[in-house]
Amino acid sequence: MFCADLIKMEVKEILSSSVIIAMYNGEKYIYQQLDSIRNQHRMPDQVVICDDHSLDDSSHITQTYINEHNLNNHWSLIVNNKNLGYIKNFYLLMSKCNSDIIFLSDQDDVWTEDKIQKMMSVFEARPDISMLCCKYSIIDEQGQPMHGILVDKQRNSGSLDVVHFEDILLKYRWPGMTMGIRKTFIDEVLPSINCVNVPHDFILSLIAADRQLFWEIDFTGVYHRRHGNNAAHEEHRILKNLNYNKKLNDLSIYNEMLASILNNNVPLSVESHNQVKRKLSISEERGCALKKRSIASVLKLYFTHRSTLRFYSFLCDMWLVLFGGYQ
């Protein structure tokens, strides 16, 4: 479905929007992110920023920005008296919002000026969509474009595509800063997940996709900044993935996430629950094959589960088994 098709749709109602920013030690880049939100073509009705007990000048910079631009009527800053961690900080922010649609924001990215406008148009035309994600591009510390093999190619066609549950388990590529979520959906599921130690964007995506409520618009709405405090440069990600110890650690963390979903009564259908269970079993088998550094085990794993494992992962795992990767 293309943008022209969206224009033809009957708009049922005008919805309100909130933007939430979970902030921690973000003084270096927060000003540019605040600017990109303030300069939206369609302004949000509410902006709530929560400083998670930063050790730098983040909260002062943010409050000064709000005051200088006379934003106190619609923008607010909360400062936690102790560090909650980014997951609980985002859930706290969600509970403070009163708009129909909630947009999640990181502290160091930059939004395109039409992000809210384009995504709100979809929400207003499609009441069957509870979660909508846009695409994103990568920028470096200076805000310059970066390129890498792990970044999805962008067409910016404006087309809408449903995100299936199995897509998320195959390769997660919908980070929180691309998300807009209906408050009614958040209010329904938040009580059952706010104590589950799984990243908020991942678990919300799973629940929305399980209910066929998760869609993606082919439109670049965010420039995601790569810097020393959040990730290595995208051109070098292939080297990070070829680190043997890091790969085992990443698999362990991922398996703990899946186990938490299974053990905490996350509201998923029986079929989706079983898919998570199968994925955990395969991921654990993958970890064992890597620990044994067995070529035969890796080949057997990917032959048996070739429909649920990526070829890119197979190449990385074979490299790690054969050469040990970069330490």
Side-chain angles (χ1 to χ4, degrees):
M1 185 177 296
F2 293 84
C3 290
D5 299 316
L6 294 176
I7 296 174
K8 297 176 183 178
M9 293 180 179
E10 178 184 358
V11 176
K12 302 292 185 181
E13 59 180 327
I14 302 298
L15 301 176
S16 58
S17 65
S18 294
V19 174
I20 60 175
I21 305 176
M23 182 170 63
Y24 179 69
N25 291 346
E27 64 178 6
K28 188 172 183 180
Y29 302 109
I30 187 62
Y31 197 98
Q32 191 174 2
Q33 174 66 305
L34 296 176
D35 255 355
S36 74
I37 293 172
R38 183 176 62 88
N39 292 321
Q40 289 291 299
H41 292 163
R42 176 169 174 171
M43 290 290 292
D45 299 278
Q46 177 188 34
V47 177
V48 186
I49 305 140
C50 189
D51 185 295
D52 198 19
H53 201 64
S54 290
L55 304 177
D56 64 5
D57 210 25
S58 296
S59 59
H60 176 72
I61 292 171
T62 301
Q63 189 59 61
T64 300
Y65 185 95
I66 293 173
N67 295 339
E68 287 181 346
H69 294 281
N70 299 312
L71 299 170
N72 287 283
N73 287 338
H74 303 290
W75 291 43
S76 60
L77 171 66
I78 302 168
V79 180
N80 294 336
N81 57 19
K82 65 177 182 179
N83 184 268
L84 300 179
Y86 75 98
I87 298 174
K88 290 186 177 180
N89 201 25
F90 266 113
Y91 288 152
L92 173 64
L93 280 162
M94 291 176 192
S95 71
K96 300 294 184 181
C97 293
N98 52 31
S99 298
D100 300 304
I101 306 298
I102 299 174
F103 289 93
L104 281 56
S105 173
D106 289 339
Q107 64 190 15
D108 43 14
D109 300 327
V110 178
W111 289 10
T112 62
E113 292 181 345
D114 53 353
K115 181 189 181 203
I116 292 179
Q117 179 185 56
K118 287 189 175 181
M119 294 181 71
M120 287 296 290
S121 295
V122 175
F123 277 117
E124 289 170 343
R126 292 287 302 271
D128 58 312
I129 295 177
S130 289
M131 179 183 290
L132 180 68
C133 283
C134 64
K135 299 289 185 66
Y136 67 95
S137 291
I138 304 294
I139 57 175
D140 63 16
E141 295 184 16
Q142 287 73 43
Q144 297 302 307
M146 299 177 67
H147 306 282
I149 63 172
L150 300 183
V151 180
D152 291 330
K153 293 183 178 179
Q154 326 245 321
R155 294 169 295 149
N156 282 305
S157 65
S159 62
L160 285 173
D161 297 291
V162 66
V163 179
H164 299 286
F165 192 87
E166 53 270 24
D167 297 335
I168 299 172
L169 293 181
L170 179 64
K171 178 190 177 185
Y172 190 74
R173 52 184 177 83
W174 302 273
M177 82 281 188
T178 66
M179 289 181 174
I181 314 171
R182 288 191 191 271
K183 179 172 171 53
T184 51
F185 175 76
I186 289 176
D187 288 346
E188 178 187 351
V189 304
L190 192 55
S192 61
I193 65 172
N194 59 7
C195 291
V196 182
N197 189 29
V198 173
H200 56 286
D201 46 3
F202 183 67
I203 196 168
L204 287 168
S205 296
L206 287 174
I207 298 171
D210 176 53
R211 304 179 185 187
Q212 294 83 49
L213 301 174
F214 184 15
W215 290 68
E216 179 183 60
I217 180 171
D218 184 29
F219 148 71
T220 302
V222 181
Y223 295 103
H224 178 55
R225 193 186 304 272
R226 297 278 187 187
H227 56 83
N229 292 333
N230 69 0
H233 290 300
E234 190 67 16
E235 290 94 337
H236 300 159
R237 284 285 300 281
I238 184 65
L239 298 184
K240 289 175 68 67
N241 284 344
L242 293 178
N243 182 305
Y244 181 78
N245 292 327
K246 180 182 184 300
K247 176 57 66 177
L248 290 179
N249 185 62
D250 287 349
L251 279 173
S252 177
I253 293 172
Y254 183 66
N255 293 345
E256 288 175 4
M257 287 167 46
L258 297 182
S260 293
I261 290 169
L262 294 174
N263 296 330
N264 283 281
N265 297 316
V266 174
L268 297 174
S269 66
V270 173
E271 172 56 28
S272 291
H273 185 277
N274 289 336
Q275 284 193 53
V276 174
K277 192 174 181 179
R278 289 194 295 270
K279 181 66 175 182
L280 175 58
S281 177
I282 294 170
S283 186
E284 289 175 337
E285 186 179 348
R286 182 184 178 194
C288 289
L290 287 176
K291 287 178 181 178
K292 291 190 295 184
R293 303 182 83 116
S294 168
I295 295 176
S297 296
V298 171
L299 290 173
K300 179 182 177 182
L301 171 72
Y302 281 89
F303 180 79
T304 305
H305 305 290
R306 56 189 178 277
S307 62
T308 56
L309 290 171
R310 294 183 295 149
F311 183 67
Y312 171 80
S313 299
F314 168 72
L315 294 178
C316 289
D317 288 356
M318 286 299 294
W319 173 273
L320 292 173
V321 168
L322 289 169
F323 305 109
Y326 290 83
Q327 303 301 317

